[in-house]
Amino acid sequence: MSDTIIRTERRPETPQSPRTSGGPDTRRRAPAATLVKYVLLIGAAAVFLGPLFWLFTAVFKTPEEIYRFPPAWLPTSLSLDNFTAAWQAAPFDRFFLNSAITTAVGTALKVANAVLTAYAFCFLAFPYKKPLFLVLLGAMMVPGHVVLLPNYLTVASLGWVNTYAGLILPGVGSVFATFLMRQHMLTIPRDIIEAAKVDGSGHLRTLFTIVLPMSRPILLTVLIITVVEEWNNFIWPLIVTNSDHMRTLPIGLLMLKDQEGLANWGTIMAGTAMVLAPMLLIFLLAQRYIVGGLTQGAVKG
């Protein structure tokens, strides 16, 4: 009797579609969650952009439109009377010149000092380098108002009160800018620096031909932050100057408010817009460099 061979053929299993992670309730909740997120984002944007919108529209409004209730969100006509009144109420031409000089010179000196100091802490060997850097970091914990009196006494003894030297030189040292530059320079491979030394490059040549080109993002970040800081500086120029000839724009706004009072808000907002517009434009154009530069070298010790 011959054996009967029974062959069983298994049908290939048809691939089943993966199960969805959620049922109809989950799919219905997803658009609702997205809607809530957009509502929250729009609300947060309104909190920050609302005052700016009101500022840049109020400068073209008449006093009646500014105080109207319910508010008039847009001016009926684009009038430059508020700008003219603000410009004539205070010597803004001199304020602009002083702010431009102090910002340009102060930024150049502060960034140069930060670059040279950071390079020294990264690539030079000298005694007590780490303790000195810890002392430098400790200076970041000291509020700036603590050194106002010593700085003023030093400037007064040198005869620099009401001068550009008194306005600029006490703020040349920036611990924060030095810290940012050092943290980025630590990420530069040492082999590149050693190769430059083998080729006979000195420290300055290495700095300008290798380190700074590789540090362009953080250098732009430090530059922008320093420009904004110098432009908006208020306390020190208020202390070290005693005449309108040497005042800067933030102090000019205070003078404008004292002169116009709390009634003529159109003039005050026009002066504020003139001070705010340059820095706002710089920030909008360079915000991606600020974010990218601040994140570079953040975890390097």
Side-chain angles (χ1 to χ4, degrees):
M1 183 175 181
S2 61
D3 295 334
T4 303
I5 300 175
I6 302 174
R7 296 181 180 179
T8 59
E9 296 182 357
R10 298 180 61 183
R11 295 182 179 179
E13 296 181 357
T14 57
Q16 297 179 356
S17 60
R19 293 184 178 181
T20 56
S21 58
D25 293 339
T26 305
R27 289 193 296 268
R28 281 195 297 266
R29 285 196 298 267
T34 304
L35 179 61
V36 171
K37 292 179 182 179
Y38 278 112
V39 170
L40 293 177
L41 289 175
I42 293 174
V47 171
F48 290 99
L49 298 179
L52 288 177
F53 176 79
W54 182 261
L55 170 66
F56 285 105
T57 56
V59 296
F60 300 106
K61 296 178 181 178
T62 62
E64 293 77 13
E65 291 177 325
I66 293 176
Y67 288 101
R68 181 182 301 172
F69 187 83
W73 295 103
L74 295 175
T76 56
S77 61
L78 297 179
S79 175
L80 300 178
D81 294 340
N82 290 325
F83 288 101
T84 304
W87 192 268
Q88 296 176 352
F92 270 93
D93 52 348
R94 186 66 194 183
F95 296 157
F96 264 104
L97 177 62
N98 293 335
S99 289
I101 293 175
T102 56
T103 300
V105 178
T107 299
L109 294 177
K110 186 176 290 188
V111 173
N113 186 27
V115 168
L116 294 174
T117 306
Y119 181 88
F121 275 109
C122 286
F123 304 113
L124 298 184
F126 54 89
Y128 307 107
K129 183 167 72 171
K130 289 186 177 180
L132 286 175
F133 185 70
L134 292 177
V135 173
L136 193 70
L137 290 181
M140 294 179 63
M141 313 301 172
V142 180
H145 296 78
V146 174
V147 297
L148 285 178
L149 181 58
N151 282 342
Y152 181 80
L153 293 177
T154 303
V155 168
S157 64
L158 294 173
W160 289 351
V161 176
N162 213 42
T163 63
Y164 287 120
L167 279 169
I168 297 171
L169 293 181
V172 166
S174 175
V175 180
F176 182 66
T178 302
F179 174 75
L180 288 181
M181 292 299 305
R182 175 188 176 271
Q183 292 304 104
H184 175 76
M185 289 181 183
L186 288 175
T187 63
I188 298 176
R190 292 279 177 167
D191 296 340
I192 299 177
I193 306 301
E194 295 298 330
K197 291 181 180 179
V198 173
D199 291 339
S201 296
H203 289 297
L204 288 179
R205 183 178 178 184
T206 302
L207 173 64
F208 286 105
T209 60
I210 297 176
V211 176
L212 286 184
M214 297 181 67
S215 304
R216 187 174 301 171
I218 192 64
L219 184 63
L220 290 175
T221 301
V222 171
L223 182 66
I224 295 166
I225 292 176
T226 305
V227 167
V228 175
E229 181 183 3
E230 291 291 323
W231 184 268
N232 294 331
N233 194 8
F234 174 77
I235 295 296
W236 180 247
L238 179 64
I239 294 174
V240 81
T241 58
N242 51 30
S243 67
D244 295 346
H245 185 72
M246 292 301 301
R247 300 289 194 187
T248 55
L249 281 171
I251 305 175
L253 285 181
L254 178 63
M255 297 172 57
L256 183 63
K257 184 185 76 67
D258 292 339
Q259 181 170 343
E260 298 295 329
L262 298 178
N264 197 355
W265 280 108
T267 304
I268 298 175
M269 289 185 179
T272 305
M274 289 189 291
V275 177
L276 178 62
M279 295 300 104
L280 186 61
L281 181 61
I282 290 176
F283 179 79
L284 291 177
L285 294 177
Q287 59 178 338
R288 64 189 183 96
Y289 296 106
I290 297 177
V291 176
L294 290 175
T295 55
Q296 290 193 3
V299 297
K300 186 70 175 178

